[in-house]
Amino acid sequence: EPTGYLHEFAAYNMLQDILSEMSNDEIAEYVQAFTKTAYASGVTSVADVQVGNVCTYEVYEEMESRGELGLRVHYSPSIELDNDELIRIQKEDRGDRLKFSGVKAFADGTAAGHTALMISEYLDDPGNVGIPSIDLDYLKDRVLELDAMGIRTRIHACGDLSVQLSLDYFENARRINGSMGTRHTIEHIEVAAPEDLPRFGALDVIASVQPNHMPRDGYYEHPFHASLGEERMKYSWPFNTILKEGGRMAFGTDYPCVPIAPFATIQRAQTRLSDQLEPPGGFNPWEKIELMDVLDIYTAGSAYCTYRENELGKLKIGYLADIVVLSDNIFEIDVMDTVNLEVEATYFDGEKVYEAVGC
């Protein structure tokens, strides 16, 4: 007889207990099942992060050594992982299916949960400016230390203050260490201060964002209206502005928060409409992105984010032959029909690994 729902760290802590009791073989079974789901969605490359104290990198290593890893996994362990272990993972060459992709840190929660770090208070919760998920002084110092080691940090930052602080920490590392080419990354960016948007390009910080996180159901009832207010909502999910200001971007879904199939993400980046086609003209329509740019960000942009722009993200001689065949021409159909596209076949390393029934 549930009286509520598990939210953020309540669910997170429960998941920790479940995962910590699972063997590597059990986790590997889930990875194999997930791989089939990914293939059916036309996905062959993923990014994965360490969840709390459960590090699945060891599982991926075992699967790769047995020839069982059927995806290209770009793994980011916790920022708190021991330096010696980070260096070991960084230097190991695991082939083209398992790659170290820097470390992951969580600066805050989410704006919908009133836990994203905000410059000014939530309008419907006076005095609350969010909750940091990590000691911020430690995060600043750790970013600097890892940057000097040539290790990139990917920071979960949903609020405008956490985005600003993340940029500050990356700028501090660049000022002290020089430009290390570490491709630091900020994840999500639900809302940002307008003055911070040009800093992505200026600091060569990647915006790794998920268009399908935008209001999907009931735009007019979305909590951002009450918690952020209409002025701050103008700078929510500011994708096109970051792009126009010279920032690099990578698209993804943040699965399992939303389905892994990319088509809703591709559509929403172009239309910024909810599933009810709200609001008319799209949410912050100036932030819409054209189809060709959307596809480039999702493929070549994501390849750059994983340091693999010379072998992934393009149909090109010499690149790895990961190819998806769709049920229709995405350049010719109406944008609103994008979500109805189906995957007819998926190729991984040139080998067909998925074929739809009847194709």
Side-chain angles (χ1 to χ4, degrees):
E1 298 178 359
T3 58
Y5 60 94
L6 293 170
H7 184 64
E8 292 191 355
F9 278 101
Y12 181 88
N13 292 334
M14 184 182 71
L15 178 63
Q16 292 288 292
D17 294 338
I18 295 172
L19 290 175
S20 63
E21 295 175 359
M22 294 175 61
S23 69
N24 284 1
D25 288 341
E26 288 176 312
I27 295 175
E29 289 180 10
Y30 278 100
V31 174
Q32 290 172 332
F34 165 73
T35 298
K36 295 179 181 179
T37 299
Y39 286 164
S41 301
V43 173
T44 58
S45 292
V46 298
D48 193 17
V49 302
Q50 181 175 348
V51 180
N53 59 4
V54 180
C55 184
T56 51
Y57 189 80
E58 181 180 310
V59 178
Y60 293 133
E61 285 182 307
E62 292 176 2
M63 293 181 70
E64 196 273 340
S65 66
R66 296 194 298 260
E68 297 174 357
L69 191 58
L71 291 169
R72 306 195 195 285
V73 179
H74 307 92
Y75 194 78
S76 298
S78 169
I79 193 171
E80 298 179 20
L81 196 65
D82 178 80
N83 280 356
D84 290 339
E85 180 65 6
L86 285 176
I87 293 171
R88 181 190 74 82
I89 296 174
Q90 179 190 30
K91 290 184 176 180
E92 270 192 348
D93 182 5
R94 304 295 310 183
D96 59 25
R97 299 196 180 188
L98 180 57
K99 297 287 187 182
F100 174 65
S101 195
V103 301
K104 181 65 180 280
F106 290 82
D108 62 355
T110 65
H114 294 72
T115 51
L117 291 176
M118 304 300 299
I119 295 172
S120 55
E121 65 186 11
Y122 290 96
L123 299 181
D124 57 350
D125 191 6
N128 179 17
V129 292
I131 303 172
S133 298
I134 192 172
D135 182 276
L136 295 175
D137 289 333
Y138 166 81
L139 178 58
K140 178 181 178 180
D141 293 342
R142 188 69 169 138
V143 166
L144 176 63
E145 177 186 19
L146 292 171
D147 179 79
M149 296 165 58
I151 294 177
R152 173 255 297 275
T153 301
R154 306 178 70 145
I155 301 180
H156 165 117
C158 288
D160 54 11
L161 179 58
S162 59
V163 171
Q164 186 175 87
L165 291 175
S166 298
L167 290 166
D168 289 347
Y169 300 161
F170 295 148
E171 185 172 23
N172 178 64
R174 185 182 182 121
R175 177 178 58 81
I176 295 174
N177 295 334
S179 180
M180 303 289 292
T182 36
R183 305 187 187 184
H184 294 303
T185 303
I186 299 179
E187 312 279 352
H188 309 313
I189 315 170
E190 291 185 353
V191 60
E195 62 268 22
D196 287 324
L197 300 180
R199 299 177 68 194
F200 284 88
L203 297 173
D204 200 21
V205 171
I206 300 171
S208 174
V209 295
Q210 301 75 33
N212 209 23
H213 278 188
M214 287 187 286
R216 300 188 300 277
D217 186 55
Y219 169 78
Y220 294 108
E221 293 77 37
H222 196 275
F224 273 26
H225 295 282
S227 63
L228 298 183
E230 302 308 312
E231 183 62 29
R232 278 187 291 191
M233 281 189 70
K234 293 178 183 178
Y235 305 102
S236 295
W237 295 284
F239 304 149
N240 194 44
T241 298
I242 292 175
L243 190 65
K244 285 186 173 181
E245 293 284 357
R248 291 186 181 271
M249 300 181 71
F251 279 165
T253 57
D254 202 30
Y255 175 89
C257 295
V258 299
I260 194 172
F263 307 120
T265 294
I266 293 170
Q267 182 196 74
R268 217 173 302 276
Q270 296 176 80
T271 68
R272 296 180 70 96
L273 291 169
S274 71
D275 291 344
Q276 295 79 29
L277 307 183
E278 299 168 342
F283 165 55
N284 293 353
W286 56 88
E287 298 293 357
K288 294 178 183 178
I289 297 181
E290 297 294 328
L291 175 59
M292 198 64 210
D293 287 332
V294 170
L295 296 178
D296 184 64
I297 293 167
Y298 215 141
T299 54
S302 295
Y304 180 86
C305 190
T306 56
Y307 307 96
R308 305 189 71 177
E309 68 273 18
N310 293 320
E311 59 179 353
L312 284 178
K314 298 178 182 179
L315 293 174
K316 185 176 179 180
I317 293 174
Y319 278 51
L320 297 170
D322 293 0
I323 301 167
V324 59
V325 180
L326 302 179
S327 57
D328 211 331
N329 188 336
I330 195 171
F331 296 101
E332 295 181 354
I333 61 173
D334 186 276
V335 64
M336 299 311 299
D337 291 329
T338 305
V339 292
N340 300 320
L341 285 169
E342 296 180 354
V343 175
E344 293 195 348
T346 302
Y347 292 80
F348 181 69
D349 268 344
E351 176 185 352
K352 184 184 287 186
V353 292
Y354 171 80
E355 185 172 30
V357 176
C359 292

